[in-house]
Amino acid sequence: MTSRQRCLSMVTLNPRLIELEYAVRGPLPIRSLEIQKELKEGAKKPFTEVIRANVGDCHAMGQVPLTFLRQVLALVTYPAFLESPEFPDDAKERARAILNSCQGGSVGSYTDSSGLEIVREQIAKYIEARDGVPADWQNVIVSGGASDAIRKVLRLFMCDVDGKKSGVMVPIPQYPLYSASLTEFGLSQINYYLDESKNWSLEITELKRAVDEAKKVCKPRAIVVINPGNPTGQVLSRQNIEEIIKFAYEENLYILADEVYQDNVYAEGCKFYSFKKVLTELGEPYNTVELASFMSCSKGYMGECGFRAGYAEVINMCPEVKAMYLKGNSAMLCSSVIGQACLYTITNPPQKGEPSYESFQKEKSAVLESLKLRAKMAADTFNSMEAITCNATQGAMYAFPQLHLPPKAIEAAKKQGKEPDVFYAFELLENTGICVVPGSGFGQETGTHHFRTTILLQTEKFKTMLEKFAEFHTKFIKTYS
Amino acid sequence: MTSRQRCLSMVTLNPRLIELEYAVRGPLPIRSLEIQKELKEGAKKPFTEVIRANVGDCHAMGQVPLTFLRQVLALVTYPAFLESPEFPDDAKERARAILNSCQGGSVGSYTDSSGLEIVREQIAKYIEARDGVPADWQNVIVSGGASDAIRKVLRLFMCDVDGKKSGVMVPIPQYPLYSASLTEFGLSQINYYLDESKNWSLEITELKRAVDEAKKVCKPRAIVVINPGNPTGQVLSRQNIEEIIKFAYEENLYILADEVYQDNVYAEGCKFYSFKKVLTELGEPYNTVELASFMSCSKGYMGECGFRAGYAEVINMCPEVKAMYLKGNSAMLCSSVIGQACLYTITNPPQKGEPSYESFQKEKSAVLESLKLRAKMAADTFNSMEAITCNATQGAMYAFPQLHLPPKAIEAAKKQGKEPDVFYAFELLENTGICVVPGSGFGQETGTHHFRTTILLQTEKFKTMLEKFAEFHTKFIKTYS
């Protein structure tokens, strides 16, 4: 293959894939895997294990799966156990309901592209109970994780309007699925900045600034809000959500509400309000705003990332558009049926009086209490260090501290051709085995430097990780002061 | 929402989604679901159940899951059962291997975007054993079903070359995932016609005709070959594959080999040869042709559609391009880990001497034997009818008979504004409950009319279905003669 050009070369490859970036799985995590291998092969390092604090991957960090959930999933996978006395009746009841709604009684058959009706109905009931406002199961579209659901909504906007590219507003810092998908889909990214000095608050004046500026170059059509925030961990107040909905109404924007961390709210006085609830309760004319809200089995207290299950609830969508949206989804047949069973079970947990109620509640609270503890621990510890400030993790699973790097460190980074935060994160990785994601992967105000760490490591280990981090950080700051 | 335009309307929606068609889940299957509901609600029909012969959905049609496979999947889902005497040791061994390679020992954690290393290695071993030529696990990219894998390769070609749109050659008739994805990705579809009069053979002269014509309007860059054929059921000979590879070499085309039916070969004298094997054994210079081969857990003898598991083996890809391909995949995190476990188990079945060997072999042969029987039964029955001709189903899971419709039937269809084959299929559905896919959903030579039916219904029921079909068909032809 020397004399002739390959059919697929860097010159003839989809240029958007070249442009696209996804830092959560970027060069740092790739290097961390290499280091893991080097350690296995006996390499000598100043540490004995890699700590992958870069991904919101709960079970990988030692969180134990929920017994009831896994019982239901094992039963639908291997229905012979429906006769076994080892499984509680409530798990069997859930499993039977799922199997009865599968074609041929097997989770090995395809489902409707939007998911099993029983799963969508159950999710709608869950949403109703959560919000106290009606939910229509036909607005619930099951998918292979929230990422999949988000992309399927984003791709609807691939259309020039008034001779301009469509634009989507995203918070900065943002979860890089958004920037990566917008790049891939050829949509304009409109950045609005969260205010770090006010605990990453979302200011309407900033939304106005961003949208007005964007109008010069594109047609703003949608706004992404991540609540609780990823990577920033803030929880929006009800009043703030009302303002955002009114803003979206005035600007005729579609709202994409990324609400996958809705169960992860820790701070006193904070409470999760869904956009759907607030929008509905605002009444006319704001209850006509078009909205897609996203949820997942990967986060919350279940943390079942590997099952790839999520959904979108889609409100006020034009019926003809909805038909096209569903048609587009159908070419991919359906999402994992075990994932759908996971959604069904999570939205239909054991009730008071059922045999698994107590143990389920106990396991659930243990996970959430432990996350709450670590959320506070993270911010407190980072704030106790020199040259670091960190907002409170009110919700979600991350801390996103700011590094106040000395000029010498910034110079050293430049010499290596790296962003200062990337330089810092690589040093951290090579010296401690701790893998975090540099702030530049999420976006940050120019001249500021951050990193995102998960708070998922189990508590004793998390303490040790923070100690190792502090030790490294002190040395690093000293070296470059 | 009366006075103002919705943000997302048919005018501002991604036009490619409007254009896109996917007949396997089109208007006929949608109507079939309605009928199913009507029957449930007590509606009187000339039949009592809907037979969904439109989708290659094995378990939905009564195929029983493989015990060993489901045991492994239940064990990885609920590892407490690793201690249970009810599971055989070989299933436990597979389950332990999978769990050991999962982060945190849980299938609830994310994996590498390309899949668990142990799964990719096992698949590579399977490919080596199948082909007798080496396979590198790093060329195996696990995905959420073959459809997902195919789309991830197709999107690489979204790039104008020499000022022309990139074009992809697809067989006519084709599986509509291809046409749907090409439409969505804005790629040109270059049709090459299979020769129905020669049992759907793939003629190189036709490939040449198609590519030459296409060059006037686009840049041909890739060719899709489906072997065994879907919907057409032919199995390519080794010599034919050699010719196709040589053609691809001469035209510098990337080959996408859809080989998901590799286990489904029934006809005497037919044998499955992978493109990878033939390409490798052809030697220089043909072994440099760029190739992606696709496989799935949904077909074969396992039929586990609901688990959404497949892979691509990618050969001769430029390393820089491969890095971009993997980066693009990484934004979706990973495919279902249970799906990956399914792939691992299927490519690592019980060996002679292991406790599950006999029963596994028995279950596997029973499925394949029964498919073989029905493959012959379908073609024989259709050929015994007036105004139908049907090529042999050498492989895959479908029959694709040609309807020789009387002119009056064609007129009646026109009056309803329907394609004649769509008209026929709707009549069939409304009168018998049998849901098939009209040939126009796959593409067919102008003036010819076909339909695709699966051969998946269990044998006794399949017989009854064919009888009901014959009865309807006779009446239909009589009515319009």
Side-chain angles (χ1 to χ4, degrees), chain A residues 296-325:
Chain A
S296 164
C297 287
S298 303
K299 311 301 169 186
Y301 50 92
M302 42 285 186
E304 292 283 11
C305 309
F307 285 93
R308 315 308 298 121
Y311 69 81
E313 187 194 13
V314 169
I315 308 294
N316 294 327
M317 187 179 267
C318 161
E320 293 93 331
V321 170
K322 193 170 170 190
M324 297 298 114
Y325 165 56

Short mmCIF file of all heavy atoms in Angstrom, two decimals, chain A residues 296-325:
data_model
loop_
_atom_site.label_atom_id
_atom_site.label_comp_id
_atom_site.label_asym_id
_atom_site.label_seq_id
_atom_site.Cartn_x
_atom_site.Cartn_y
_atom_site.Cartn_z
N SER A 296 -31.33 8.90 32.76
CA SER A 296 -30.43 7.77 32.52
C SER A 296 -30.43 6.83 33.72
O SER A 296 -30.71 7.25 34.84
CB SER A 296 -29.02 8.34 32.31
OG SER A 296 -28.05 7.35 32.44
N CYS A 297 -30.10 5.57 33.47
CA CYS A 297 -29.86 4.63 34.58
C CYS A 297 -28.42 4.67 35.07
O CYS A 297 -28.07 3.96 36.01
CB CYS A 297 -30.15 3.19 34.14
SG CYS A 297 -31.89 2.84 33.94
N SER A 298 -27.59 5.46 34.40
CA SER A 298 -26.16 5.40 34.68
C SER A 298 -25.75 6.20 35.90
O SER A 298 -24.67 5.99 36.44
CB SER A 298 -25.37 5.94 33.48
OG SER A 298 -25.68 5.23 32.31
N LYS A 299 -26.58 7.13 36.31
CA LYS A 299 -26.18 8.02 37.40
C LYS A 299 -27.07 7.77 38.62
O LYS A 299 -27.37 6.63 38.91
CB LYS A 299 -26.23 9.47 36.91
CG LYS A 299 -25.52 9.69 35.57
CD LYS A 299 -24.04 9.31 35.59
CE LYS A 299 -23.42 9.28 34.20
NZ LYS A 299 -22.04 8.78 34.20
N GLY A 300 -27.50 8.81 39.31
CA GLY A 300 -28.38 8.62 40.47
C GLY A 300 -27.74 7.73 41.51
O GLY A 300 -26.55 7.86 41.82
N TYR A 301 -28.51 6.80 42.07
CA TYR A 301 -28.01 5.86 43.08
C TYR A 301 -27.81 4.48 42.46
O TYR A 301 -27.32 3.57 43.09
CB TYR A 301 -28.99 5.77 44.25
CG TYR A 301 -30.40 5.54 43.79
CD1 TYR A 301 -30.91 4.25 43.66
CD2 TYR A 301 -31.21 6.60 43.43
CE1 TYR A 301 -32.19 4.04 43.19
CE2 TYR A 301 -32.50 6.40 42.95
CZ TYR A 301 -32.98 5.12 42.84
OH TYR A 301 -34.24 4.92 42.36
N MET A 302 -28.24 4.32 41.17
CA MET A 302 -28.14 3.01 40.54
C MET A 302 -26.79 2.85 39.84
O MET A 302 -26.15 1.83 39.94
CB MET A 302 -29.31 2.72 39.61
CG MET A 302 -29.77 3.85 38.73
SD MET A 302 -30.71 5.15 39.63
CE MET A 302 -31.24 6.20 38.29
N GLY A 303 -26.37 3.87 39.12
CA GLY A 303 -25.04 3.86 38.51
C GLY A 303 -24.81 2.74 37.52
O GLY A 303 -23.69 2.27 37.36
N GLU A 304 -25.87 2.33 36.84
CA GLU A 304 -25.73 1.18 35.93
C GLU A 304 -25.33 1.67 34.53
O GLU A 304 -26.08 1.52 33.56
CB GLU A 304 -27.04 0.38 35.87
CG GLU A 304 -27.38 -0.33 37.17
CD GLU A 304 -26.58 -1.61 37.41
OE1 GLU A 304 -25.61 -1.86 36.67
OE2 GLU A 304 -26.94 -2.36 38.35
N CYS A 305 -24.12 2.20 34.42
CA CYS A 305 -23.63 2.75 33.15
C CYS A 305 -23.59 1.68 32.06
O CYS A 305 -23.90 1.94 30.90
CB CYS A 305 -22.22 3.29 33.33
SG CYS A 305 -22.03 4.42 34.70
N GLY A 306 -23.16 0.48 32.43
CA GLY A 306 -22.91 -0.56 31.45
C GLY A 306 -24.16 -1.07 30.74
O GLY A 306 -24.07 -1.71 29.70
N PHE A 307 -25.32 -0.78 31.31
CA PHE A 307 -26.56 -1.29 30.69
C PHE A 307 -27.07 -0.38 29.58
O PHE A 307 -27.97 -0.75 28.84
CB PHE A 307 -27.64 -1.53 31.75
CG PHE A 307 -27.38 -2.76 32.55
CD1 PHE A 307 -26.70 -2.70 33.75
CD2 PHE A 307 -27.79 -3.99 32.08
CE1 PHE A 307 -26.44 -3.85 34.48
CE2 PHE A 307 -27.54 -5.15 32.80
CZ PHE A 307 -26.85 -5.08 34.01
N ARG A 308 -26.50 0.82 29.48
CA ARG A 308 -26.84 1.76 28.39
C ARG A 308 -28.35 1.96 28.27
O ARG A 308 -28.98 1.54 27.29
CB ARG A 308 -26.28 1.28 27.04
CG ARG A 308 -24.86 0.79 27.03
CD ARG A 308 -23.82 1.72 27.64
NE ARG A 308 -23.69 3.00 26.97
CZ ARG A 308 -23.88 4.17 27.59
NH1 ARG A 308 -24.25 4.24 28.85
NH2 ARG A 308 -23.72 5.28 26.93
N ALA A 309 -28.90 2.62 29.26
CA ALA A 309 -30.34 2.85 29.25
C ALA A 309 -30.65 4.28 29.65
O ALA A 309 -30.10 4.79 30.63
CB ALA A 309 -31.03 1.88 30.21
N GLY A 310 -31.50 4.92 28.88
CA GLY A 310 -31.93 6.27 29.20
C GLY A 310 -33.21 6.57 28.45
O GLY A 310 -33.75 5.71 27.76
N TYR A 311 -33.70 7.78 28.61
CA TYR A 311 -34.89 8.16 27.85
C TYR A 311 -34.95 9.66 27.67
O TYR A 311 -34.25 10.41 28.36
CB TYR A 311 -36.17 7.65 28.53
CG TYR A 311 -36.52 8.34 29.84
CD1 TYR A 311 -37.17 9.58 29.86
CD2 TYR A 311 -36.23 7.75 31.06
CE1 TYR A 311 -37.50 10.20 31.06
CE2 TYR A 311 -36.56 8.36 32.26
CZ TYR A 311 -37.19 9.60 32.26
OH TYR A 311 -37.51 10.21 33.44
N ALA A 312 -35.76 10.08 26.72
CA ALA A 312 -36.12 11.49 26.56
C ALA A 312 -37.63 11.59 26.77
O ALA A 312 -38.39 10.76 26.27
CB ALA A 312 -35.77 11.97 25.16
N GLU A 313 -38.04 12.62 27.52
CA GLU A 313 -39.46 12.98 27.51
C GLU A 313 -39.56 14.23 26.65
O GLU A 313 -38.86 15.22 26.89
CB GLU A 313 -39.99 13.27 28.92
CG GLU A 313 -41.52 13.47 28.90
CD GLU A 313 -42.09 14.08 30.18
OE1 GLU A 313 -41.32 14.59 31.02
OE2 GLU A 313 -43.32 14.07 30.32
N VAL A 314 -40.40 14.15 25.65
CA VAL A 314 -40.43 15.18 24.60
C VAL A 314 -41.80 15.88 24.65
O VAL A 314 -42.83 15.23 24.44
CB VAL A 314 -40.20 14.51 23.24
CG1 VAL A 314 -40.48 15.46 22.10
CG2 VAL A 314 -38.76 13.99 23.17
N ILE A 315 -41.79 17.17 24.93
CA ILE A 315 -43.02 17.92 25.16
C ILE A 315 -43.23 18.97 24.08
O ILE A 315 -42.27 19.60 23.65
CB ILE A 315 -42.92 18.67 26.52
CG1 ILE A 315 -42.53 17.72 27.63
CG2 ILE A 315 -44.21 19.39 26.86
CD1 ILE A 315 -43.55 16.69 27.93
N ASN A 316 -44.47 19.15 23.68
CA ASN A 316 -44.84 20.21 22.74
C ASN A 316 -44.19 20.06 21.37
O ASN A 316 -44.01 21.05 20.66
CB ASN A 316 -44.50 21.60 23.31
CG ASN A 316 -45.33 21.94 24.53
OD1 ASN A 316 -46.49 21.53 24.63
ND2 ASN A 316 -44.75 22.68 25.46
N MET A 317 -43.82 18.85 21.02
CA MET A 317 -43.22 18.68 19.69
C MET A 317 -44.34 18.63 18.65
O MET A 317 -45.37 17.97 18.86
CB MET A 317 -42.40 17.38 19.65
CG MET A 317 -41.60 17.20 18.36
SD MET A 317 -40.62 15.68 18.36
CE MET A 317 -39.05 16.28 18.99
N CYS A 318 -44.13 19.32 17.56
CA CYS A 318 -45.06 19.30 16.43
C CYS A 318 -45.29 17.84 16.00
O CYS A 318 -44.32 17.09 15.80
CB CYS A 318 -44.44 20.11 15.30
SG CYS A 318 -45.11 19.80 13.67
N PRO A 319 -46.53 17.39 15.88
CA PRO A 319 -46.79 15.96 15.60
C PRO A 319 -46.10 15.46 14.33
O PRO A 319 -45.59 14.33 14.31
CB PRO A 319 -48.31 15.91 15.45
CG PRO A 319 -48.82 17.09 16.19
CD PRO A 319 -47.78 18.16 16.08
N GLU A 320 -46.06 16.26 13.28
CA GLU A 320 -45.39 15.81 12.05
C GLU A 320 -43.89 15.65 12.30
O GLU A 320 -43.26 14.72 11.79
CB GLU A 320 -45.59 16.80 10.90
CG GLU A 320 -47.03 16.92 10.41
CD GLU A 320 -47.79 18.04 11.10
OE1 GLU A 320 -47.47 18.37 12.27
OE2 GLU A 320 -48.70 18.60 10.46
N VAL A 321 -43.32 16.57 13.06
CA VAL A 321 -41.90 16.46 13.39
C VAL A 321 -41.65 15.21 14.22
O VAL A 321 -40.70 14.47 13.99
CB VAL A 321 -41.43 17.72 14.16
CG1 VAL A 321 -40.03 17.53 14.72
CG2 VAL A 321 -41.48 18.94 13.25
N LYS A 322 -42.56 14.96 15.15
CA LYS A 322 -42.40 13.79 16.01
C LYS A 322 -42.40 12.50 15.18
O LYS A 322 -41.62 11.58 15.43
CB LYS A 322 -43.52 13.74 17.04
CG LYS A 322 -43.23 12.76 18.15
CD LYS A 322 -44.20 12.90 19.28
CE LYS A 322 -44.04 11.76 20.25
NZ LYS A 322 -45.14 11.75 21.23
N ALA A 323 -43.27 12.45 14.18
CA ALA A 323 -43.32 11.27 13.31
C ALA A 323 -41.96 11.06 12.62
O ALA A 323 -41.49 9.94 12.48
CB ALA A 323 -44.44 11.41 12.29
N MET A 324 -41.34 12.15 12.20
CA MET A 324 -40.03 12.05 11.52
C MET A 324 -38.94 11.64 12.51
O MET A 324 -38.05 10.86 12.20
CB MET A 324 -39.66 13.41 10.89
CG MET A 324 -40.59 13.89 9.80
SD MET A 324 -40.65 12.76 8.38
CE MET A 324 -42.32 12.17 8.47
N TYR A 325 -39.03 12.20 13.70
CA TYR A 325 -38.09 11.87 14.79
C TYR A 325 -38.15 10.36 15.08
O TYR A 325 -37.12 9.67 15.11
CB TYR A 325 -38.51 12.71 15.99
CG TYR A 325 -37.96 12.37 17.36
CD1 TYR A 325 -36.60 12.30 17.60
CD2 TYR A 325 -38.83 12.19 18.44
CE1 TYR A 325 -36.13 12.04 18.89
CE2 TYR A 325 -38.37 11.93 19.72
CZ TYR A 325 -37.02 11.84 19.94
OH TYR A 325 -36.56 11.58 21.20
#
